[in-house]
Amino acid sequence: MSAAAPLLKVEGLKCAYGQAEILHGVDLQVRQGEIVSLIGANGAGKSTTLMCLSRVNRVRGGRVTFDGHDITGMRPEQVVRLGLVQVPEGRRIFPRLTVRENLEMGAFIRRDRDGIEADLRRAYDLFPILRDRSAQQGGTLSGGEQQMLAIARALMSRPKMLMMDEPSMGIAPILVAKIFETVRDVLRAQGMTILLVEQNANAALRMSDRGYVLETGNIVLTGTGQELLGDPRVRAAYLGE
Amino acid sequence: MLRAAAAAENLAIAVLGQAGAVLPAFGADGQLSGQEVFSQQLVTGLSNGMIIALIAIGYTMVYGIIELINFAHGDLCMLGAFLALTIVGALGMAEWSGVGGVGGVVLLLFSAAVFCGGLNWSIDRLAYRPLRKASKLSLLVSAIGASFILVNLGLFWGGLPMDVFAGGGSSAAPKDFPALVSNRDVLTLGDVRWTLNDLLVLAVTVPLMVALTVLVKFTKLGKAMRAVAQNPTAAQLMGIDVDRVIGSTFFIGGALGGFATVVYSLYNNTISFQMGYRMGMDAFIAAVLGGIGNLPGAVLGGLLIGVVRSMSDQYVEARWTNAVVFGILILILVFRPSGLLGAKLREKV
Ligand SMILES: Nc1ncnc2c1ncn2[C@@H]1O[C@H](COP(=O)(O)OP(=O)(O)O)[C@@H](O)[C@H]1O
Ligand SMILES: [Mg+2]
């Protein structure tokens, strides 16, 4: 790997809801072009981490650097403008905007009309079902279709890095395969940098360069995808063996 | 009578002369027939209803985006009327005529719109934005506080030593608002008679409602407003500055209220520091009736309240009108809690 500075660097990140501290000092790094997974049990603080990085949640301590900028004190829209974009847990589609309008909202920070139109076509090529449903309200799509819409919507901003929170949650297995395939083949081929949060640790680690294990607000283990897949503690706790 | 009104009237007659017979619509014996009384009340009701609707849109937009019943909205409109009357007095507008008179009305409309829009934006900035993460109840209390402050500002304003405020004699007394637009009939269609004032109401409210619909449906800001209303967190994750979109919503809702209040004052020719309560109550009921958060619902609700009021004034008795209006509200809430056009269920996906 290159010695270049990581694209995303998280140092000692602390986050709390009210008095309850959820993250106790998380350290992690993602380099340009890497797919990195963040795995951990339900309630470990994975979503909290992503919401802190998107600056939707308040940061209590630590430092986050993205693409050379200190984003610790930034507002959410500034982080998006820098190119760090999240596909949130539960998809958070705008239910009463059409599929097309949802995609347009993904491009909210952009002004280049022609570029946006071209990217809309690209999104429809990536997930053709969205083209068929483009005039339909987002809330009428199935869970899997909504997940595709959420991914396509995030891509509409032309991000430098995607953070995906449990893209396989509550989705029919055949669509899970389609979504993982998209992440693995299409996005990786484009050189997209990805931080992937997954309950499905096996699938996530298989397609990742590296991974981190989060346990009640602390990173307890890190290594390459292969190393973690082979680690007895990971196998016992997250791979059901 | 060298007034804006007379000239504007001539202008309108010239324009509308083709469209319908310009005749006073009295029966042969000079008495209004039952049918004509009904038509008259219907027109008055619809005109007031359109004004109520424009104010109701301000309630429903704000509710749609931050789930707040903005109790200060009616009082904000009241201050818009005071501003308009102040301008009328300061510029001696009651004596303006011809094109100047029409220009004067336009000036009043836009001054009140910018004033009410800006004030509504400021109220959000100062009284509501700091409470975005607080409970809805805190927000509601803050709105009631803002309402009190505006009412008292109106009371103070009405005591200014200007001729239009009766020299500041009694700050609480209702003020006459000069009839810049006359109440003479200019258009008769069948037995429905329209005054220039009725036409003014339509000429102001209809284009604004069309413009708002276009804005909300097709512009980037409008889509962002809907996105924020449906899922504010997702909107933030798209790079939408949620506070700014909410601020714009307050500005637009306030500006519509500003337009409405000037039309109201020209139509009803009297204003007082308490008018915000009455207008606000009607508009709030209209918004709930139509389904709060729903724009076409606010218009439908406004028209219904306007017509019900006017019919009740005529056929029941004016002192029962409030009871009739609230009775309808209660019936609607019992049998259709989400309002006439409101979604049956609040979807939160
Ligand atoms: N809005 C919230 N308010 C208070 N506590 C929360 C909130 N969201 C999450 N938590 C708590 O924070 C912890 C981490 O949650 P989360 O980040 O969603 O975990 P994960 O995504 O790893 O399943 C959990 O104990 C959860 O109960
Ligand atoms: Mg989670």
Side-chain angles (χ1 to χ4, degrees):
Chain A
M1 270 294 161
S2 77
L7 184 60
L8 176 75
K9 188 171 179 188
V10 180
E11 298 161 284
L13 180 68
K14 289 186 180 175
C15 183
Y17 293 111
Q19 289 305 303
E21 188 174 278
I22 304 295
L23 303 180
H24 310 297
V26 167
D27 294 290
L28 63 84
Q29 299 188 358
V30 183
R31 288 186 284 265
Q32 178 74 49
E34 270 189 323
I35 297 184
V36 172
S37 18
L38 180 60
I39 60 174
N42 219 343
K46 306 181 295 294
S47 301
T48 302
T49 305
L50 295 200
M51 283 300 181
C52 273
L53 298 181
S54 286
R55 300 298 302 104
V56 170
N57 284 353
R58 195 168 288 169
V59 171
R60 180 184 261 194
R63 213 164 91 99
V64 184
T65 325
F66 178 73
D67 200 18
H69 298 85
D70 185 340
I71 63 169
T72 323
M74 282 190 180
R75 296 179 50 82
E77 60 271 12
Q78 293 174 296
V79 174
V80 174
R81 281 176 195 280
L82 285 176
L84 179 59
V85 175
Q86 184 183 164
V87 183
E89 183 173 67
R91 309 176 280 270
R92 290 186 180 270
I93 290 304
F94 302 115
R96 273 156 286 126
L97 295 191
T98 64
V99 166
R100 192 194 149 95
E101 286 170 336
N102 266 280
L103 293 172
E104 289 173 6
M105 284 299 101
F108 184 82
I109 58 167
R110 294 171 57 185
R111 296 183 180 282
D112 55 324
R113 272 168 185 262
D114 297 343
I116 293 173
E117 281 302 321
D119 283 359
L120 267 172
R121 284 194 295 276
R122 217 162 287 149
Y124 291 150
D125 290 342
L126 186 60
F127 298 116
I129 187 80
L130 298 182
R131 178 177 280 126
D132 304 336
R133 303 255 190 275
S134 65
Q136 219 167 299
Q137 292 198 338
T140 65
L141 302 188
S142 76
E145 291 164 350
Q146 289 192 9
Q147 188 63 56
M148 293 180 199
L149 177 56
I151 295 170
R153 182 179 65 173
L155 291 172
M156 288 299 294
S157 65
R158 294 220 171 150
K160 294 195 180 85
M161 175 172 168
L162 272 189
M163 301 189 286
M164 306 175 83
D165 197 347
E166 308 221 18
S168 70
M169 191 172 69
I171 294 183
I174 181 153
L175 291 177
V176 172
K178 163 78 180 154
I179 284 164
F180 281 157
E181 183 191 299
T182 306
V183 173
R184 200 174 52 230
D185 302 340
V186 183
L187 298 181
R188 161 157 281 185
Q190 290 172 358
M192 180 64 71
T193 308
I194 296 173
L195 179 59
L196 176 65
V197 166
E198 258 300 335
Q199 289 261 318
N200 188 342
N202 193 5
L205 290 172
R206 273 173 201 287
M207 69 175 99
S208 297
D209 299 296
R210 295 188 302 112
Y212 292 89
V213 179
L214 186 67
E215 242 173 54
T216 54
N218 293 295
I219 299 286
V220 293
L221 205 57
T222 179
T224 65
Q226 287 308 314
E227 282 166 0
L228 291 179
L229 276 171
D231 190 288
R233 287 165 293 177
V234 173
R235 299 182 76 88
Y238 304 110
L239 302 179
E241 290 178 16
Chain B
M1 185 180 66
L2 264 183
R3 300 184 114 177
E9 188 181 327
N10 290 337
L11 197 79
I13 290 171
V15 173
L16 295 163
Q18 333 288 348
V22 184
L23 291 170
F26 289 100
D29 55 356
Q31 283 293 108
L32 289 175
S33 71
Q35 181 66 40
E36 284 164 338
V37 168
F38 179 83
S39 307
Q40 183 62 36
Q41 289 303 110
L42 187 66
V43 170
T44 305
L46 287 175
S47 290
N48 272 318
M50 285 300 268
I51 297 170
I52 295 169
L54 210 50
I55 300 174
I57 288 172
Y59 277 98
T60 227
M61 283 176 82
V62 163
Y63 186 86
I65 206 153
I66 58 171
E67 287 176 32
L68 165 71
I69 305 292
N70 182 11
F71 274 112
H73 189 63
D75 305 307
L76 177 91
C77 297
M78 174 273 293
L79 286 185
F82 275 64
L83 176 83
L85 187 55
T86 306
I87 295 175
V88 168
L91 302 183
M93 206 177 273
E95 306 304 320
W96 289 13
S97 62
V99 178
V102 177
V105 170
V106 172
L107 175 72
L108 291 183
L109 286 168
F110 281 91
S111 310
V114 170
F115 172 76
C116 290
L119 188 57
N120 212 27
W121 182 90
S122 312
I123 292 171
D124 170 55
R125 183 72 191 78
L126 297 173
Y128 306 151
R129 200 203 279 193
L131 298 173
R132 279 297 188 253
K133 295 205 168 77
S135 76
K136 299 289 174 218
L137 191 60
S138 316
L139 204 55
L140 200 62
V141 171
S142 193
I144 292 169
S147 162
F148 274 120
I149 291 173
L150 297 184
V151 168
N152 281 289
L153 278 176
L155 199 50
F156 170 77
W157 198 334
L160 293 185
M162 284 182 75
D163 286 345
V164 284
F165 294 126
S170 164
S171 60
K175 323 288 177 197
D176 291 332
F177 199 99
L180 300 179
V181 178
S182 93
N183 283 318
R184 242 186 69 189
D185 304 337
V186 293
L187 181 65
T188 308
L189 300 172
D191 47 32
V192 185
R193 302 180 298 116
W194 301 80
T195 68
L196 195 53
N197 251 325
D198 293 315
L199 297 181
L200 172 81
V201 172
L202 289 183
V204 173
T205 55
V206 173
L208 284 174
M209 287 171 189
V210 171
L212 182 72
T213 306
V214 170
L215 181 131
V216 169
K217 260 187 125 61
F218 300 112
T219 68
K220 194 168 174 178
L221 174 62
K223 289 173 195 172
M225 283 161 60
R226 287 186 283 145
V228 170
Q230 291 171 31
N231 196 325
T233 304
Q236 278 188 311
L237 294 176
M238 302 297 107
I240 295 172
D241 184 339
V242 169
D243 280 329
R244 204 157 145 186
V245 171
I246 294 173
S248 308
T249 306
F250 271 87
F251 184 90
I252 294 168
L256 293 177
F259 283 112
T261 196
V262 170
V263 177
Y264 174 95
S265 306
L266 290 170
Y267 196 76
N268 294 299
N269 301 121
T270 174
I271 69 173
S272 95
F273 78 103
Q274 286 166 318
M275 71 192 276
Y277 175 74
R278 156 79 194 276
M279 288 193 306
M281 212 32 108
D282 279 351
F284 167 62
I285 293 173
V288 173
L289 198 60
I292 192 142
N294 181 301
L295 288 176
V299 177
L300 177 65
L303 289 175
L304 282 175
I305 296 294
V307 170
V308 165
R309 268 200 172 285
S310 139
M311 292 302 167
S312 164
D313 283 351
Q314 177 69 30
Y315 298 108
V316 184
E317 212 178 324
R319 64 192 169 115
W320 287 105
T321 294
N322 277 333
V324 171
V325 168
F326 276 93
I328 288 176
L329 177 70
I330 291 167
L331 284 180
I332 291 284
L333 287 180
V334 168
F335 291 106
R336 240 195 109 83
S338 53
L340 295 174
L341 301 184
K344 287 229 172 64
L345 281 173
R346 271 194 78 78
E347 322 152 53
K348 277 277 178 194
V349 178

